[in-house]
Amino acid sequence: MEMILNENDLVVGAKFKNGTIQDYVDDTNTYGLVRIEESYANWFLFNKDESEDDLQELYKKVLKEEHFIHNDFGEEIVVFNKVGDKSFEEFVKTIDDYLNDELGTIV
């Protein structure tokens, strides 16, 4: 994965072999976008006890729509607004790889 940096040299996404991932694509910086080939979905990380109010509200809204949640020891990867033929699991794997890669560059 090739990290995408903003003007302050902070990681805001990544490019990989068959797609891209971005941390935030909305005006309030609550969710990102992941694209694999011609499929795409929105995503965010959620922690019931620690997430801000705007994420709590988005989480409640997403639960009423088609979504997928992968619980990773209390922090959830939430995927929603999926378009295309890629599975939710493929999106979660890509997001998880990105997060692990991002943590590796910080350390």
Side-chain angles (χ1 to χ4, degrees):
M1 272 190 195
E2 176 187 334
M3 295 300 167
I4 299 170
L5 306 176
N6 69 6
E7 63 276 355
N8 298 318
D9 290 333
L10 298 173
V11 175
V12 295
K15 296 178 189 176
F16 49 93
K17 181 180 169 185
N18 58 346
T20 58
I21 186 168
Q22 296 169 269
D23 290 342
Y24 302 113
V25 295
D26 66 316
D27 294 336
T28 57
N29 292 335
T30 51
Y31 60 86
L33 178 74
V34 57
R35 183 185 57 79
I36 305 171
E37 297 169 352
E38 302 302 317
S39 300
Y40 57 90
N42 294 114
W43 70 280
F44 62 94
L45 295 176
F46 181 77
N47 182 299
K48 181 181 177 183
D49 298 324
E50 296 178 12
S51 291
E52 300 291 327
D53 291 342
D54 55 348
L55 272 181
Q56 297 281 351
E57 289 301 315
L58 179 58
Y59 187 80
K60 289 176 190 173
K61 178 183 173 197
V62 165
L63 290 180
K64 297 175 185 174
E65 303 169 358
E66 182 183 20
H67 66 281
F68 184 84
I69 297 173
H70 174 75
N71 192 331
D72 198 13
F73 305 107
E75 184 154 67
E76 298 175 345
I77 298 173
V78 181
V79 182
F80 64 108
N81 290 343
K82 182 178 85 70
V83 174
D85 61 351
K86 298 298 179 188
S87 69
F88 278 112
E89 289 82 0
E90 289 177 88
F91 285 112
V92 167
K93 182 182 179 332
T94 300
I95 295 165
D96 199 40
D97 289 348
Y98 166 68
L99 295 173
N100 289 334
D101 236 24
E102 187 177 0
L103 286 174
T105 60
I106 293 171
V107 174

